[in-house]
Amino acid sequence: MPPASDERPQWPDGAKCIAAITVDWDGHSLEVGRDLEPVGIRAAGGYSARRGVHRMLDIFGRHEIAATFFVPGYDAEQHANGVRELIAAGHEVGAHGYTHESGVLGREEEQELLERSHAILSDVTGTPPVGWRSPSGRKTHWTTSVLRRLGYIYESSDKDYERPYPTVVEGEPSTEMIEFPNNTLGPGLDDAPLWTAGVAPYEVLDLWKAEFDAIYADEGYFVLTFHPRAGFGTGTPARAHVVDELLTHIRAHDGVHFTRFDELARWCLEADHGFLDPPARIGGRP
Amino acid sequence: MTADVRWPDGARSAVAVTVNFDGESVERTADPDAPQWGRFSYGRYGAQVGVHRLLDLFERSGVAATFFIPAWDAERHPDVAERVVAGGHEVAGHGYHHEDFSALDIEQQRDVLKRSEQGFERAFGQRPAGWRAPDGLMSAETRSLLAERGYEYESSFPDDDLPYVVATEGSDRLVELPVFAGASDHHYYRAHRLPAVVERAWQDEFDAVHRAGGLFNLTLHPRGDYGSGRAVRIGPIEALLKTVARRDDVWVATCREIAAHTLATAAGAPLPA
Ligand SMILES: [Zn+2]
Ligand SMILES: [Zn+2]
């Protein structure tokens, strides 16, 4: 249970609420990883690199915010220049699988793919990524140990809490890695289930504003996850406009601190900020 | 046919606030091999976050609710079990591990009920008086089995506006408290409806049930995906509870109280199971 307000951990800048805008690139990697040819209706991932990412860069630039992009290794190989543009614009690039592998893999195969994507992103951006988000939100008991060994300081896949907490590594809460829970399949702050269910852009805007308002009044931990692709994503004009309007709404509130995840992770890993010592044991166990 | 139950103190309708505590057992039953991380951690959200939000709301609204809890989840989260009981709420059965009772034969069902009751003894120091089928699924024998094991009520059948007494083999004391999707959260949130829509839908549902003189069996879940645990989803519940509290002709009670009242006032022959 969240503690009373005087025991709450402190956000950076003395902020009342942090806002982390996270974008999962999810280009053709998603279809390729499922052995589907990315053609016809299965070509929606191509929209990310052609249009969606640039539209997001434009929106973020106008609102002067820095975001975190999670990019599958395969997409980074295909669009190395596009990924470098993200870095040049001040955004963070985190890892998100090689071909968006979404099943539970054998230990060796999983490790090999995590290492391969890590090497690709390090090479393309010139800096090793420090964060990871599971493609399709799956993890195994050993995923976080591999990530920690590669130097990652956060991961963002679990749906079980409403503020950062120590990542469970080798079955124990880590003091070197922070968990940023995000709400994906839950019909709140991930675009894919909403667009897939036929929810209209104006309804999504209403929902995201309502989610933000409730979080602003409560835990102060707002994490939005969306995709710049077409299909289940938010890259197309009317949907991207929802992001634009939402950012306008958020920025009209006092005390909101927009953050990249890598910056927030470094903040949360400093013991005196209170995130390493949650009120109860949080996170998965066998 | 039983004569229709009349609500106490001249109330026109009754409201039960119920919570199906669908915790980690839901994910574990759905896919026992899937590690409980990432997309398989919404049940844990319910236990770590959502249930506390609901309990906070019930506390400030002065509502005694009925929690249907798989015994495994109750034992996994002793802090939750303790807080639910300390809040004056009723706890009732919901499988040991959120099992699909329609897929179990009668001996397996008996075994699961036994393990669930033993888990309740350990977690709450008492046996459950009531039961609700996980996902509403059961077999034709389940209600007889519940009656045989001394349960006072069951709450899974969407087949009447009012509670009624079920005639089972060897007992005519089991009460059914009907339950409907329109008065639940998961029905809407699984379809990605907005909280504002749910708020409106519940108000309309309640108004109509009140006019019909029935039982409004509100069914909530603490989960982060199809449940009401998120901050933004507390609003519709709070609005409904306020609407109910503004009326002086609504009886708000726990399921066990409603079952006892039904049994005490029911006239005529029980309905066959
Ligand atoms: Zn993805
Ligand atoms: Zn259930």
Side-chain angles (χ1 to χ4, degrees), chain A residues 155-202:
Chain A
E155 95 86 24
S156 176
S157 312
D158 280 9
K159 327 294 176 195
D160 59 350
Y161 206 48
E162 294 195 339
R163 69 167 70 133
Y165 66 88
T167 303
V168 178
V169 180
E170 303 276 352
E172 290 302 323
S174 170
T175 54
E176 300 174 319
M177 193 168 183
I178 201 88
E179 178 68 36
F180 290 133
N182 76 326
N183 177 56
T184 54
L185 295 184
L189 295 171
D190 183 293
D191 58 347
L194 301 173
W195 302 132
T196 304
V199 182
Y202 77 91

Side-chain angles (χ1 to χ4, degrees), chain A residues 104 138 141, chain B residues 27-28 30-36:
Chain A
V104 170
R138 297 189 88 145
H141 295 306
Chain B
E27 277 87 1
R28 295 170 69 105
D31 185 353
D33 298 326
Q36 305 297 300

Side-chain angles (χ1 to χ4, degrees), chain A residues 24-26 29-30 70 72 96 100 133-137 225 227 232:
Chain A
D24 298 356
W25 182 299
D26 293 13
S29 63
L30 200 124
F70 292 100
H96 192 52
H100 207 272
R133 171 174 286 161
S134 162
S136 297
T225 300
H227 304 76
F232 65 72

Side-chain angles (χ1 to χ4, degrees), chain B residues 13-238:
Chain B
S13 67
V15 170
V17 176
T18 73
V19 178
N20 295 353
F21 189 88
D22 290 4
E24 288 148 283
S25 61
V26 169
E27 277 87 1
R28 295 170 69 105
T29 303
D31 185 353
D33 298 326
Q36 305 297 300
W37 305 102
R39 67 198 300 174
F40 300 99
S41 62
Y42 283 110
R44 199 158 63 237
Y45 174 99
Q48 293 182 165
V49 181
V51 73
H52 294 291
R53 280 225 174 86
L54 293 177
L55 285 163
D56 288 347
L57 170 64
F58 298 156
E59 201 174 305
R60 60 177 187 270
S61 311
V63 164
T66 303
F67 283 73
F68 294 95
I69 310 185
W72 184 88
D73 289 294
E75 290 197 85
R76 182 139 170 119
H77 297 282
D79 58 321
V80 171
E82 195 180 316
R83 201 180 160 204
V84 168
V85 172
H89 306 291
E90 183 195 343
V91 288
H94 196 49
Y96 176 73
H97 205 263
H98 209 267
E99 295 84 357
D100 172 358
F101 271 58
S102 69
L104 304 178
D105 68 29
I106 183 118
E107 280 315 313
Q108 291 168 320
Q109 292 187 29
R110 186 176 279 122
D111 179 58
V112 170
L113 287 173
K114 198 180 287 177
R115 283 198 290 144
S116 155
E117 291 151 15
Q118 288 163 350
F120 261 56
E121 292 278 8
R122 290 188 297 267
F124 303 112
Q126 62 181 68
R127 286 166 55 93
W131 190 79
R132 177 173 284 162
D135 292 328
L137 297 170
M138 57 164 85
S139 72
E141 305 94 343
T142 309
R143 287 203 292 195
S144 299
L145 192 57
L146 292 166
E148 169 196 306
R149 301 190 67 77
Y151 285 77
E152 296 165 20
Y153 72 89
E154 193 300 300
S155 181
S156 313
F157 278 55
D159 65 347
D160 201 341
D161 291 335
L162 290 167
Y164 57 89
V165 183
V166 187
T168 64
E169 226 170 290
S171 164
D172 56 1
R173 300 194 59 79
L174 185 75
V175 174
E176 178 65 42
L177 302 179
V179 61
F180 296 91
S184 77
D185 52 6
H186 69 120
H187 171 66
Y188 303 100
Y189 291 133
R190 279 186 204 273
H192 305 282
R193 305 312 301 269
L194 275 60
V197 173
V198 178
E199 181 168 331
R200 170 75 195 272
W202 283 348
Q203 299 276 342
D204 290 348
E205 284 276 348
F206 169 71
D207 288 345
V209 169
H210 182 71
R211 283 194 300 273
L215 166 66
F216 188 80
N217 200 341
L218 179 67
T219 302
L220 308 169
H221 299 74
R223 295 172 60 90
D225 46 2
Y226 58 74
S228 294
R230 296 183 63 70
V232 73
R233 292 176 179 177
I234 292 297
I237 313 171
E238 189 151 28

Side-chain angles (χ1 to χ4, degrees), chain A residues 45-59:
Chain A
Y47 194 91
S48 291
R50 283 169 177 266
R51 297 285 175 191
V53 168
H54 287 105
R55 189 163 280 132
M56 292 311 155
L57 286 177
D58 172 55
I59 293 171

